[in-house]
Amino acid sequence: MDYLHFELNPTLSNRFVKETITMAMLTILLLLSAAFALGDADGLRPVRRCRSGWTEYGSHCFMFIKTARTWAKAERHCISLGGNLASVHRSEEAQSLQGVVFSGTGEFTPTWIGGFEDPKRILLKDRLWFWSDGSKFDYQDWIQGEPNNNGGREPCIVMNFGGEQGWNDLACGNRLPSNGHVIIVDNKACTVFIFQPTGKLLTKFGSRGNGDKQFAGPHFAAVNNNNEIIVTDFHNHSVKVFTPEGELLLKFGSNGEGNGQFNAPTGVADWGNSRIQVQ
């Protein structure tokens, strides 16, 4: 994902305050820098609140940047830039954030915001929520039936979820493609399917065989920071890396127990820094 930061304008008087709100996503992180411009001493001169490349909403400046991260890593990155994941306090603000995401991706991509739950009340019916920037949690936009801890402990909030494009509680460790797409590996059909979060099929690739874009019992897929798709090919004893469009970038492995060889690989995980773990 990508991010934004804020900086104070040294030319403004002490009556100007800048504050940053940064927002990151599951598959995308949206970083927002909020700047308050209270006006100059005589209240006549216009004040430029947002730097070039930022989107202004009220007293806030927004910028959209992509890269998939967990909620905690997204928040830490935002803090390193002087901000936090975004807090939302009114419906108009929520719609503005959706617009920023849509302008960057062409769709309403699921995106982390700064909401998190009191860890002492996660499994209680009366759940207590906070914003990571310390502001009051005074607005909610949950989709129907949420929050519900459906996946177990789900103490973090994602926006643009499902067909209603509202909020959902989600496990904070989720790290999705920055475009929010859902990847399904069909073991029997030897095919990889890529869907939008709404369920619309975007593309599919693969067939049975041992060619570059073929599989013999694919088992698992992972996504790296470049949104490349890593697939374990069980009966071909190999690992293949594809672009989001399904074009082969790399394949490695053969049957055996030596270095670089596999005996029916199943799981795969991307550790970053060009490191891939295969099980």
Side-chain angles (χ1 to χ4, degrees):
M1 109 186 179
D2 304 318
Y3 310 81
L4 48 151
H5 66 282
F6 86 103
E7 61 185 17
L8 296 177
N9 188 334
T11 64
L12 299 181
S13 71
N14 291 335
R15 297 181 60 187
F16 302 130
V17 182
K18 276 200 170 183
E19 111 186 354
T20 299
I21 297 177
T22 313
M23 162 181 191
M25 66 171 301
L26 264 180
T27 115
I28 289 186
L29 302 178
L30 171 67
L31 303 179
L32 309 170
S33 180
F36 287 96
L38 304 182
D40 62 1
D42 56 18
L44 297 178
R45 288 182 297 162
V47 177
R48 182 181 178 183
R49 304 181 216 179
C50 299
R51 300 170 61 189
S52 176
W54 298 53
T55 300
E56 181 175 347
Y57 172 77
S59 57
H60 297 146
C61 300
F62 304 110
M63 182 181 288
F64 180 76
I65 309 171
K66 316 193 236 187
T67 297
R69 282 203 170 102
T70 65
W71 189 96
K73 288 184 177 180
E75 173 69 9
R76 285 197 295 269
H77 189 83
C78 295
I79 291 173
S80 74
L81 298 176
N84 296 95
L85 292 173
S87 58
V88 187
H89 301 281
R90 63 184 73 88
S91 61
E92 295 83 4
E93 189 172 26
Q95 292 171 7
S96 178
L97 298 187
Q98 287 183 320
V100 173
V101 174
F102 188 87
S103 66
T105 65
E107 56 190 19
F108 295 105
T109 303
T111 302
W112 286 127
I113 55 178
F116 69 98
E117 186 177 11
D118 181 349
K120 298 178 182 179
R121 305 178 66 91
I122 286 176
L123 298 180
L124 300 180
K125 184 176 181 180
D126 183 19
R127 303 171 69 180
L128 185 61
W129 298 89
F130 299 92
W131 291 117
S132 60
D133 64 4
S135 59
K136 184 178 180 180
F137 197 89
D138 52 5
Y139 173 80
Q140 302 181 48
D141 188 26
W142 301 106
I143 62 176
Q144 185 174 3
E146 302 295 343
N148 62 7
N149 274 330
N150 186 54
R153 297 179 66 241
E154 296 183 327
C156 293
I157 300 179
V158 58
M159 60 176 279
N160 281 343
F161 192 86
E164 299 176 50
Q165 299 162 6
W167 296 1
N168 181 31
D169 59 332
L170 204 64
C172 304
N174 275 285
R175 180 181 176 276
L176 304 180
S178 64
N179 49 24
H181 294 161
V182 179
I183 300 173
I184 303 294
V185 177
D186 190 327
N187 178 271
K188 292 185 178 180
C190 297
T191 303
V192 176
F193 297 87
I194 303 178
F195 297 88
Q196 289 183 348
T198 59
K200 179 182 178 181
L201 178 66
L202 292 175
T203 188
K204 64 178 181 178
F205 58 91
S207 60
R208 185 175 299 277
N210 57 12
D212 286 349
K213 295 179 66 174
Q214 293 183 311
F215 306 103
H219 267 237
F220 198 84
V223 179
N224 64 21
N225 284 333
N226 296 320
N227 290 325
E228 296 163 351
I229 303 167
I230 308 166
V231 183
T232 53
D233 195 349
F234 187 82
H235 292 295
N236 283 329
H237 310 286
S238 63
V239 174
K240 297 178 179 179
V241 183
F242 298 89
T243 68
E245 295 74 32
E247 296 301 320
L248 181 70
L249 294 173
L250 172 70
K251 67 176 180 179
F252 58 91
S254 60
N255 189 17
E257 298 182 356
N259 292 334
Q261 293 184 310
F262 306 108
N263 184 9
T266 54
V268 63
D270 175 64
W271 283 26
N273 297 322
S274 301
R275 295 182 301 165
I276 299 175
Q277 178 181 348
V278 181
Q279 297 177 328

